Amino acid sequence: KLGVQHELRELGKHLCNGQELDLPPVIVGRYGEDANKPTICVYGHLDVQPAAKEDGWNTDPFVLTYAPRSEEEDAAAGYGDFPSGGKL
């Protein structure tokens, strides 16, 4: 346990092409009570589009696969492996 106070917050609705859609909820966390400490934002999301190997993947998109980029740089690849650019 990290001791983070957390809550799930609903964001409401969004109008898209005349249709009202539920926005996905967010998790808000607070670590400590010191108002002098900086605020940080950690962002991540889940892809929700279907994917299949026939779509042009070299491997099964839902299996995390070792994919070295070079002798100096290791990498892992898979659908939704952090498309926002973060490190695993």
Side-chain angles (χ1 to χ4, degrees), residues 13-67:
K13 306 276 186 187
H14 174 72
L15 190 60
C16 180
N17 296 325
Q19 184 178 8
E20 195 173 73
L21 304 172
D22 289 323
L23 291 170
V26 297
I27 298 172
V28 177
R30 177 180 301 274
Y31 186 71
E33 299 290 331
D34 187 346
N36 294 318
K37 290 189 176 179
T39 298
I40 63 167
C41 176
V42 179
Y43 172 80
H45 71 277
L46 297 174
D47 286 324
V48 294
Q49 297 297 318
K53 191 165 184 220
E54 300 80 46
D55 294 333
W57 289 83
N58 293 329
T59 61
D60 183 334
F62 294 102
V63 174
L64 189 61
T65 305
Y66 174 67

